[in-house]
Amino acid sequence: MGGAVKILKHYEMPKQKGEYFRLVCLNGKNKGLAYLLAENRVVMGRGEKAHIKVHDLKSSREHAEVVKVGASYVITDLGSQNGVVVNDLKIKQHSLGQDDKIIIGTTVYKFERFEVTEDKEKKKTKKKEEKVFEDETFEEKKSKLTPVLSGVAVLALLVLFLDSPEKSKTETKRSSANYKVNEVSDPFINTLKRKKAEDKRNKEKLNIYFQKGLREFREGNFFRAIAEFEHALSWSPNDGLAQFYLRKTKEALDNSIEEMFIKAKRDEESLKYQNAAVSYCAILRLLHRYPEDDRFVNAKESISRLEEKLGYEEGQIECAEEVGK
């Protein structure tokens, strides 16, 4: 399980250059340890199989998971007994940002994104080369630098003889003026500017619809949430976070409908026909925009079956009649 994270001291940096994400333990038994996230899914908990071992009595064996979505990570509570707190708010799921504080029981972790800009191995090699050069004798340095200095002196003399100060100033001014004119009229630069403005506008639109989708998702309005997330993706089709929540919303919708069917069938088998009818009606109202859906058809047939068992006339259970309009 250790391959999912690489454990370092909080002041240690990776040797290879690149972008990294880590969780730094701020208190408790593992205070000062940094867990580099090396895989797309990392489990935190008290159990032996957890990638990040949380030494806390209030931690579940598999307490939470941290999953890479797009360019960052999302933390999800895995149904733990005591929950997960991020920045003083109890969450079920949260997209992690720089310096977010994750609290499990009394143990606190800080989420960080950072970059290593220079390969440490290359840096060591460079220092060795510099040291070798410093160890050379004065005569060796002189012999290496003499041809270079001679060449520079010859070029300087040529510039003095061939170019007058007035001519140099004129050429510099002309070159600068041409550069400014070309910069304004250059179609490539203008295209880049338009692209940057368009990307900014698309990102703003994406964020508006994404936030609406999140609100509907949390309130259990799954169809509205799906519509908002799809609208968000129309502005930025490759946005990983919007894709992730769209998939989560569809899964939540399917699970909700499945639970309604299970309850309705259990009530029907217990001869609680009225209770079963309520569950089937809820399914019909939920899927009323999708009458071709197999689950809609199944629920409607179940309503007809209940009407027959109750001795009702066809269509006497109101929800079936309303939804069918």
Side-chain angles (χ1 to χ4, degrees):
M1 300 294 285
V5 296
K6 185 175 181 181
I7 304 174
L8 302 172
K9 295 290 185 181
H10 69 278
Y11 53 80
E12 292 181 301
M13 290 289 111
K15 293 182 179 180
Q16 302 298 324
K17 65 179 180 180
E19 181 185 47
Y20 294 90
F21 298 87
R22 70 179 185 178
L23 293 176
V24 181
C25 187
L26 301 182
N27 65 340
K29 184 177 179 180
N30 291 335
K31 180 180 178 180
L33 292 185
Y35 301 87
L36 289 182
L37 305 180
E39 292 185 0
N40 290 335
R41 180 178 183 268
V42 173
V43 175
M44 305 175 68
R46 188 164 46 87
E48 293 298 327
K49 295 184 178 180
H51 301 114
I52 298 178
K53 189 74 176 292
V54 182
H55 295 280
D56 196 301
L57 293 177
K58 293 185 178 181
S59 171
S60 299
R61 292 182 180 278
E62 291 191 357
H63 199 101
E65 66 174 7
V66 180
V67 178
K68 189 168 188 182
V69 178
S72 189
Y73 280 84
V74 173
I75 186 169
T76 302
D77 185 355
L78 294 177
S80 63
Q81 184 175 355
N82 295 302
V84 178
V85 174
V86 177
N87 298 333
D88 299 325
L89 292 175
K90 195 169 185 178
I91 59 95
K92 288 294 183 184
Q93 195 167 65
H94 177 80
S95 179
L96 292 170
Q98 182 71 3
D99 296 330
D100 275 355
K101 303 295 190 305
I102 301 167
I103 305 173
I104 296 177
T106 58
T107 307
V108 183
Y109 297 85
K110 181 169 72 170
F111 177 80
E112 293 181 336
R113 173 202 169 277
F114 64 97
E115 291 186 9
V116 177
T117 57
E118 187 173 359
D119 192 314
K120 286 190 176 181
E121 295 300 325
K122 291 182 179 178
K123 194 172 182 180
K124 287 180 182 178
T125 303
K126 185 177 179 182
K127 285 185 176 179
K128 286 181 180 178
E129 291 175 351
E130 290 174 351
K131 190 174 185 308
V132 169
F133 183 76
E134 288 172 358
D135 290 341
E136 290 177 347
T137 64
F138 175 77
E139 291 301 325
E140 289 173 335
K141 291 179 182 178
K142 183 179 177 182
S143 63
K144 289 183 178 180
L145 291 174
T146 299
V148 176
L149 294 173
S150 300
V152 171
V154 171
L155 286 174
L157 288 172
L158 286 173
V159 169
L160 287 172
F161 280 108
L162 295 177
D163 291 335
S164 65
E166 291 78 7
K167 183 180 179 182
S168 177
K169 289 180 182 178
T170 304
E171 291 296 332
T172 302
K173 189 181 293 185
R174 188 184 303 158
S175 174
S176 176
N178 288 339
Y179 176 75
K180 290 179 181 178
V181 171
N182 290 338
E183 183 179 9
V184 173
S185 60
D186 190 334
F188 177 70
I189 293 176
N190 290 333
T191 301
L192 287 179
K193 289 181 179 178
R194 284 196 301 270
K195 181 69 167 58
K196 187 176 180 180
E198 184 180 343
D199 288 344
K200 183 180 179 182
R201 184 171 64 253
N202 289 350
K203 190 173 181 180
E204 290 172 352
K205 292 286 187 181
L206 164 73
N207 187 55
I208 290 171
Y209 290 109
F210 178 76
Q211 294 301 327
K212 288 182 180 178
L214 274 183
R215 186 168 58 251
E216 299 293 353
F217 174 76
R218 288 165 182 161
E219 292 175 0
N221 302 322
F222 299 128
F223 278 110
R224 292 180 185 174
I226 289 171
E228 297 296 350
F229 289 136
E230 287 178 342
H231 209 154
L233 287 169
S234 70
W235 290 97
S236 182
N238 297 321
D239 185 79
L241 204 55
Q243 291 174 347
F244 173 78
Y245 274 101
L246 176 61
R247 185 172 66 252
K248 282 288 184 184
T249 304
K250 289 180 178 179
E251 290 174 0
L253 174 63
D254 291 340
N255 291 337
S256 178
I257 293 173
E258 185 179 354
E259 288 173 3
M260 289 180 189
F261 268 116
I262 291 172
K263 185 179 184 305
K265 290 176 181 177
R266 185 168 58 244
D267 287 336
E268 188 175 352
E269 290 171 358
S270 302
L271 305 183
K272 298 177 182 178
Y273 298 139
Q274 293 291 350
N275 292 343
V278 171
S279 296
Y280 287 129
C281 284
I283 295 170
L284 290 176
R285 283 192 292 271
L286 196 59
L287 296 171
H288 74 279
R289 294 183 181 179
Y290 305 91
E292 72 284 353
D293 192 299
D294 290 340
R295 295 169 295 183
F296 181 92
V297 175
N298 189 356
K300 200 166 186 179
E301 290 174 352
S302 298
I303 289 288
S304 299
R305 184 174 65 251
L306 289 177
E307 288 175 337
E308 185 178 344
K309 289 181 178 180
L310 290 167
Y312 291 170
E313 295 181 2
E314 185 179 353
Q316 190 170 343
I317 295 179
E318 293 182 0
C319 75
E321 190 173 330
E322 291 174 0
V323 173
K325 290 181 180 181

